Amino acid sequence: MPQNRWIPTTLLAKELGVNPRYLQRNRLKLFKAGHHYRVVNPTSYRPTYRWHPGRCAALLEKETKQAAKIETSQQPKASGKGTQLPFIDGVESYEIH
């Protein structure tokens, strides 16, 4: 994959295995303008975007690993009734006797 390759939304979605709407909806939440995507014609009524596949793939990989880490940290540490799940950072699990 060339380093300075910028591709349209539909091609990026196909490469990453996501829906193009996912990229459109999360463009402002996850991705940084100028780094992950560029606006082809900013003055048009409906702007067109070009994406950097390597940077976007790395970001989604990082976000996936972080989500998996959070998911595993929410597993109960001890089985049984009254086990509290640590949803908040710094909160230890405990059992009610």
Side-chain angles (χ1 to χ4, degrees):
M1 194 175 338
Q3 295 288 53
N4 291 327
R5 191 175 113 187
W6 293 87
I7 61 175
T9 305
T10 52
L11 285 176
L12 178 70
K14 191 178 284 188
E15 279 191 24
L16 297 178
V18 298
N19 193 306
R21 294 199 86 150
Y22 173 81
L23 296 171
Q24 294 166 351
R25 290 179 180 158
N26 292 293
R27 180 176 50 85
L28 298 175
K29 295 176 195 173
L30 292 176
F31 304 102
K32 294 179 185 171
H35 185 72
H36 296 106
Y37 69 92
R38 293 180 179 171
V39 181
V40 175
N41 186 359
T43 60
S44 69
Y45 176 70
R46 292 179 62 181
T48 306
Y49 301 99
R50 294 288 184 261
W51 301 80
H52 193 280
R55 294 174 188 163
C56 292
L59 176 70
L60 291 181
E61 182 71 25
K62 177 184 160 196
E63 292 295 322
T64 302
K65 286 180 181 178
Q66 186 176 1
K69 185 188 292 186
I70 290 171
E71 198 171 284
T72 57
S73 73
Q74 292 179 350
Q75 297 297 323
K77 291 184 180 178
S79 61
K81 265 187 165 176
T83 302
Q84 178 189 5
L85 297 176
F87 289 111
I88 303 171
D89 290 339
V91 175
E92 296 294 321
S93 64
Y94 63 90
E95 289 196 31
I96 300 173
H97 300 286

